[in-house]
Amino acid sequence: MPKKKKARVAEPEEPRTIVCFGDSNTHGADSESDDRIPYASRWTTHLQAELGAGALVIPEGLNGRTTVIDDPQENPDFAGLGGEGMNGRRALLPCLHSHKPVSLVVLALGCNDMKRRHYCDPVDIAAGMAALIADVRKSGAGPDAGAPAIVVVSTPNVRETAKCRSWGFADCEGKAKGTIAAYKALAKEQKVGFVDLGAAHPTGSDGIHFPASAGPRIAKAVAVAVRKHVEDAL
């Protein structure tokens, strides 16, 4: 008798890679302590759960990271000569090419640009985000060497506290509100996704970061925007 052919097992589909490129709130800084939020409670981990097996969420957060500014005063141990290590624009393209093909990039930067020493107003900060959007679009790091889709996450709706003033965030409240509005207008102009982080959850006791309990709500807000901008939505 002829041998029966073995049934072919279908290859599992590759998940869509989602890179979350941000600052300390993407890294998981805890507003209620000097520790990092445990992995299971970070918003990026909750985003993975929201999107399911069809996505691979890669957290790429760094404390002190700016949009396009070198900051020698921040994290001198690894900022590099002149503070280049804090400049998100310098790190973005190598990051995308290390994870390609990338279906979508979540850009969650701008809060550290508000530090008084950078002399940036909301228009300047939005211009920095616009430069990152342009870099993603010309990166060739998406599927078929195209451009990844983009979701812009606003700065938090920060509250000025003694702790965040010690980090350089004096007079940050009005600047944050202006930056959120500027990001919303930029996202509409550039036809990219937008998440108002301030509307998703209030900051914790330090005024800049979120408590661990914020993770699910932030993730849900980001997931809505991701699904709108990934082809064949997750």
Side-chain angles (χ1 to χ4, degrees), residues 25 43 107-109 111 114 152-159 173 175-181 183-184 194-204 207-211 214 217-219 221-222:
N25 276 313
W43 72 261
L107 295 173
L109 289 171
C111 190
M114 295 191 294
V152 168
V153 174
S154 82
T155 62
N157 193 11
V158 304
R159 293 178 298 104
E173 292 187 12
K175 195 176 289 187
K177 288 180 172 60
T179 301
I180 292 169
Y183 273 20
K184 185 175 181 179
F194 175 70
V195 176
D196 182 345
L197 194 55
H201 202 284
T203 55
I208 296 291
H209 302 114
F210 296 94
R217 281 173 57 181
I218 294 172
V222 176

Side-chain angles (χ1 to χ4, degrees), residues 25-233:
N25 276 313
T26 301
H27 180 78
D30 186 354
S31 64
E32 310 310 303
S33 71
D34 292 326
D35 297 326
R36 191 177 187 184
I37 293 171
Y39 177 80
S41 298
R42 294 173 202 158
W43 72 261
T44 49
T45 306
H46 286 288
L47 179 63
Q48 178 68 75
E50 284 281 335
L51 298 178
L56 174 63
V57 175
I58 297 176
E60 284 283 356
L62 177 65
N63 296 341
R65 180 179 277 155
T66 67
T67 58
V68 297
I69 301 167
D70 294 349
D71 186 357
Q73 294 186 48
E74 187 73 36
N75 296 314
D77 289 340
F78 61 86
L81 181 65
E84 292 95 332
M86 293 295 97
N87 186 327
R89 193 175 192 187
R90 294 182 186 274
L92 178 58
L93 292 183
C95 172
L96 296 184
H97 282 282
S98 72
H99 296 297
K100 67 184 179 185
V102 176
S103 291
L104 183 139
V105 185
V106 177
L107 295 173
L109 289 171
C111 190
N112 291 298
D113 300 43
M114 295 191 294
K115 290 173 180 172
R116 180 179 277 182
R117 63 178 175 264
H118 298 317
Y119 301 102
C120 288
D121 63 21
V123 173
D124 298 323
I125 298 169
M129 179 57 74
L132 299 183
I133 291 171
D135 287 350
V136 172
R137 284 180 164 158
K138 69 184 180 187
S139 69
D144 301 318
I150 300 167
V151 168
V152 168
V153 174
S154 82
T155 62
N157 193 11
V158 304
R159 293 178 298 104
E160 189 169 335
T161 65
K163 192 162 190 178
C164 74
R165 279 197 301 273
S166 74
W167 297 333
F169 287 99
D171 304 319
C172 59
E173 292 187 12
K175 195 176 289 187
K177 288 180 172 60
T179 301
I180 292 169
Y183 273 20
K184 185 175 181 179
L186 175 67
K188 183 176 180 180
E189 174 191 309
Q190 294 290 326
K191 297 180 172 57
V192 300
F194 175 70
V195 176
D196 182 345
L197 194 55
H201 202 284
T203 55
S205 61
D206 67 17
I208 296 291
H209 302 114
F210 296 94
S213 58
R217 281 173 57 181
I218 294 172
K220 284 183 184 298
V222 176
V224 169
V226 167
R227 289 191 179 104
K228 284 182 179 177
H229 288 84
V230 172
E231 190 178 347
D232 300 325

